[in-house]
Amino acid sequence: MDKNISFTLKVWRQRGPKAKGAFETYQMKDIPGDTSFLEMLDILNEQLVNENKEPIAFDHDCREGICGMCSLYVNGHPHGPATGATTCQLYMRRFKDGDTITVEPWRSAGFPVIRDLMVDRTAFDKIQQAGGYVSINTGGMPDANAIPIGKDIAEEAMDAAACIGCGACVAACKNGSAMLFVSAKVSQFALLPQGKVEAKKRVKAMVAKMDELGFGNCTNTRACEAECPKCVSISNIARLNREFIKAKLKD
């Protein structure tokens, strides 16, 4: 059984996008080790509400490592120190009794702070809308699934599709680059026959939208790959570059 721990929690508080933010410090006592990080924040918020104080705003939804909403920067790592896991999959047993834990929102020009630990990630939706879809008629489900696809290619496409769009790659990158996210979305379609019809249009539109929204460029530090909760490979960035060059040469 995991033992209880007590620790100091430093949380970024910011009342709005244009307000000046600052860290506030809270003392957490006897938190069970099997408590998830988000459950720990729930406990803190309950205490704050009971004290007639404003609870901490943070994003969450499925709490099963699927939705990517739990976008917290914990002790210098997007989603925290656990490898291949989202914040909701992080448990307090990862920390030691007496630790100081610092929690911040994503830091990126592309993800402005809404309040406290919540950021506006609609930029990813706009990039996806710019070309991250297949609009051709592939027929009914049996017909679409009847298209022969090699096992290796299908698995590689599924690995790219594992991206949950959480934005950890942007938060980890010193340039605030969204290349890993965009390349994963381009790859999951570029590898499949259904996606090849719009391939050139897709890659140009998504890259243009990414640049328009103010994300930085990739300089191959691999921080995005190291911090991605779904372990999406930077080999997708190489594929994105190839697809983009092919599209431009076609023009």
Side-chain angles (χ1 to χ4, degrees):
M1 182 177 178
D2 294 316
K3 61 183 181 180
N4 294 359
I5 62 169
S6 298
F7 51 90
T8 300
L9 194 65
K10 294 178 64 179
V11 182
W12 183 261
R13 304 300 306 266
Q14 186 172 335
R15 295 191 65 84
K18 296 181 179 180
K20 184 177 181 180
F23 284 104
E24 290 189 7
T25 303
Y26 307 95
Q27 299 300 323
M28 305 298 294
K29 302 290 185 181
D30 297 324
I31 302 298
D34 61 358
T35 303
S36 77
F37 200 87
L38 297 191
E39 289 171 340
M40 179 272 295
L41 291 178
D42 290 338
I43 293 170
L44 173 57
N45 274 346
E46 187 174 349
Q47 294 175 4
L48 292 174
V49 169
N50 289 337
E51 295 169 2
N52 292 318
K53 295 178 180 178
E54 193 73 26
I56 298 164
F58 63 95
D59 270 327
H60 61 93
D61 191 3
C62 74
R63 300 202 178 196
E64 294 180 349
I66 299 171
C67 71
M69 293 292 289
C70 52
S71 50
L72 301 182
Y73 209 80
V74 183
N75 283 356
H77 294 276
H79 291 298
T83 302
T86 54
T87 310
C88 63
Q89 296 172 306
L90 178 66
Y91 289 86
M92 300 314 298
R93 67 176 73 97
R94 297 277 310 193
F95 304 96
K96 298 177 182 178
D97 192 61
D99 273 356
T100 295
I101 303 172
T102 304
V103 190
E104 303 171 72
W106 284 171
R107 303 292 191 181
S108 169
F111 295 149
V113 174
I114 298 173
R115 185 182 181 92
D116 294 341
L117 303 175
M118 294 178 65
V119 298
D120 183 354
R121 288 178 294 168
T122 54
F124 270 13
D125 295 331
K126 292 175 181 177
I127 293 171
Q128 184 83 341
Q129 290 162 4
Y133 54 86
V134 173
S135 64
I136 62 168
N137 183 6
T138 59
M141 286 299 289
D143 297 332
N145 289 339
I147 299 173
I149 299 170
K151 185 175 185 294
D152 291 346
I153 293 176
E155 288 184 348
E156 195 171 358
M158 283 298 292
D159 288 344
C163 169
I164 55 178
C166 66
C169 51
V170 176
C173 179
K174 66 179 183 179
N175 305 318
S177 173
M179 286 284 278
L180 190 65
F181 165 76
V182 176
S183 67
K185 297 306 173 186
V186 166
S187 290
Q188 73 182 70
F189 294 120
L191 287 161
L192 302 178
Q194 295 95 326
K196 293 192 182 300
V197 176
E198 296 172 307
K200 295 179 177 62
K201 176 183 176 183
R202 176 184 303 112
V203 68
K204 289 188 294 183
M206 293 183 76
V207 169
K209 182 59 69 173
M210 174 183 69
D211 291 342
E212 176 192 322
L213 293 171
F215 291 102
N217 203 2
C218 173
T219 50
N220 293 315
T221 64
R222 303 187 72 167
C224 56
E225 181 184 59
E227 299 288 2
C228 175
K230 297 301 175 182
C231 303
V232 175
S233 171
I234 62 165
S235 63
N236 291 298
I237 296 178
R239 181 176 296 105
L240 169 65
N241 289 331
R242 290 195 299 270
E243 291 290 322
F244 185 76
I245 291 170
K246 284 192 295 183
K248 284 296 186 180
L249 288 175
K250 186 69 175 178
D251 290 344

